[in-house]
Amino acid sequence: MENILIIGASGQIGSELTLALRERYGNDHVFASDIKEPAEDVRESGPFYMLDVMDDKHLIHFVIRHKITQIYHLAAVLSGNAEKLPVQAWQINMNSLMNVLEIAKLVEEVRQVFWPSSIAVFGPSTPKENTPQLTIMEPATVYGISKLAGERWCEYYYKRYGVDVRSLRYPGLISYKTEAGGGTTDWAVEIFYAALREKAYTCFLAENTRLPMMFMPDAINATIALMEAPAEEVRFHIGYNIKGFNCTPAELTAAIQKHIPDFKIGYAPDFRQEIADTWPDSVDDHYARCHDHWKSRYDIDTTTDIMLKNLKEKLKL
Ligand code: AKB
């Protein structure tokens, strides 16, 4: 029987992953936690605790008391915010991961850890198109450096202590349930809210900035497929590349205009342009696709369709 702890259950990924895991493993076996209040359905469908991942003593007691067998550690300072407070972001991203890895090492019942990596591990010297799993990695952002260092620590804990930690290099994630905050790919969510509310959006990246993106249900399925894969099939204990689709702001605008023809876009690139320019246009994910034959199901048009339908309902428009 699994008892799963989600750290960061009020965030963009956590709020959807918690519900998906509760469906599979039972509501009472998935413990949601965060330092922020959760969405109503997370709070009402199972246990939720206020828990700060930086507080290692509280965390280890929690893990022992609730006989936790799997930890999903999703809390992080994202790329844009990390550039504003580099040292603090480094400390939060690294210390929180180290707390979780140490607990997984010390508490025998903890069998598995999931920790999200990101396309931010790549940098300006990385091949930009169809970026391979194993390639030059010289990230130029604090967030990217913390993700690359985190990947190395994950592999170290696996090799040295046998901690079964698994990871995916998420692209920009698009979802309608919980908004992301402080990332370079946030525009790809903001644009839908603005299109429905104001029929106009000013994008903080330039119109032809291409980035890898993924609709949240694909990310949830890929995460669960990796965590449920038999140990002998897990080839990497660093992040796996995963791919949904890739697009520019101009292309996503065109997809939205098929539904809202008078939607207008303007461009005012800010400091996040420099971050985006160091990331891949697209990634090669053939290793991730080995797990349970996971395959992306949503392209730019299906994502746009579902985003607009659900946001319209959510915003009561
Ligand atoms: C960000 O923009 O910082 C994140 C990411 C790609 O990891 N969404």
Side-chain angles (χ1 to χ4, degrees), residues 100-114:
V100 170
L101 291 176
E102 266 301 286
I103 288 171
K105 180 185 101 181
L106 295 171
V107 182
E108 216 182 308
E109 284 72 20
V110 178
R111 290 190 312 99
Q112 272 189 314
V113 173
F114 179 82

Side-chain angles (χ1 to χ4, degrees), residues 78-79 118-119 143 170-172 183-185 279:
L78 296 185
S79 56
S118 160
I119 52 163
Y143 176 68
Y170 290 129
T184 302
T185 56
W279 289 355

Side-chain angles (χ1 to χ4, degrees), residues 36-273:
K36 284 186 305 215
E37 283 297 330
E40 211 178 299
D41 48 6
V42 168
R43 190 181 330 100
E44 284 182 359
S45 60
F48 174 84
Y49 292 85
M50 283 288 178
L51 189 63
D52 183 355
V53 62
M54 303 300 281
D55 182 348
D56 56 338
K57 292 189 181 59
H58 189 182
L59 190 59
I60 196 164
H61 281 127
F62 187 95
V63 165
I64 293 169
R65 180 153 36 99
H66 295 284
K67 300 186 170 50
I68 297 296
T69 58
Q70 295 183 24
I71 304 176
Y72 286 73
H73 169 29
L74 308 172
V77 181
L78 296 185
S79 56
N81 279 351
E83 290 309 302
K84 294 180 193 156
L85 288 168
V87 175
Q88 289 81 349
W90 170 260
Q91 283 165 352
I92 292 170
N93 289 354
M94 294 316 298
N95 294 353
S96 64
L97 174 62
M98 297 312 283
N99 285 348
V100 170
L101 291 176
E102 266 301 286
I103 288 171
K105 180 185 101 181
L106 295 171
V107 182
E108 216 182 308
E109 284 72 20
V110 178
R111 290 190 312 99
Q112 272 189 314
V113 173
F114 179 82
W115 174 77
S117 186
S118 160
I119 52 163
V121 292
F122 301 115
S125 52
T126 302
K128 246 184 153 15
E129 273 166 45
N130 218 20
T131 302
Q133 171 72 30
L134 302 170
T135 185
I136 303 168
M137 294 160 97
E138 296 179 317
T141 63
V142 178
Y143 176 68
I145 298 169
S146 75
K147 288 294 180 189
L148 180 55
E151 285 198 8
R152 304 315 310 155
W153 275 112
C154 288
E155 192 179 66
Y156 183 87
Y157 269 72
Y158 170 71
K159 288 199 165 143
R160 176 105 199 249
Y161 307 115
V163 174
D164 183 1
V165 47
R166 304 183 183 190
S167 178
L168 294 169
R169 292 175 182 153
Y170 290 129
L173 296 178
I174 300 177
S175 63
Y176 52 82
K177 194 172 170 210
T178 307
E179 283 180 77
T184 302
T185 56
D186 290 8
W187 69 268
V189 176
E190 289 173 8
I191 194 171
F192 287 102
Y193 283 83
L196 286 167
R197 281 183 176 136
E198 282 109 34
K199 295 196 174 174
Y201 178 62
T202 305
C203 185
F204 58 75
L205 297 185
E207 63 178 308
N208 293 323
T209 310
R210 183 171 299 285
L211 285 172
M213 296 287 172
M214 179 175 274
F215 191 37
M216 188 60 87
D218 266 347
I220 301 295
N221 289 338
T223 306
I224 294 176
L226 175 63
M227 286 297 272
E228 291 184 348
E232 61 280 7
E233 285 176 20
V234 179
R235 182 178 178 138
F236 301 111
H237 291 272
I238 55 173
Y240 277 82
N241 283 2
I242 43 163
K243 178 163 79 177
F245 56 92
N246 59 74
C247 70
T248 64
E251 288 167 355
L252 191 49
T253 300
I256 293 172
Q257 281 167 340
K258 288 183 197 163
H259 302 260
I260 309 173
D262 51 349
F263 171 53
K264 301 241 165 351
I265 183 130
Y267 300 96
D270 67 12
F271 70 101
R272 289 167 282 191
Q273 182 67 45

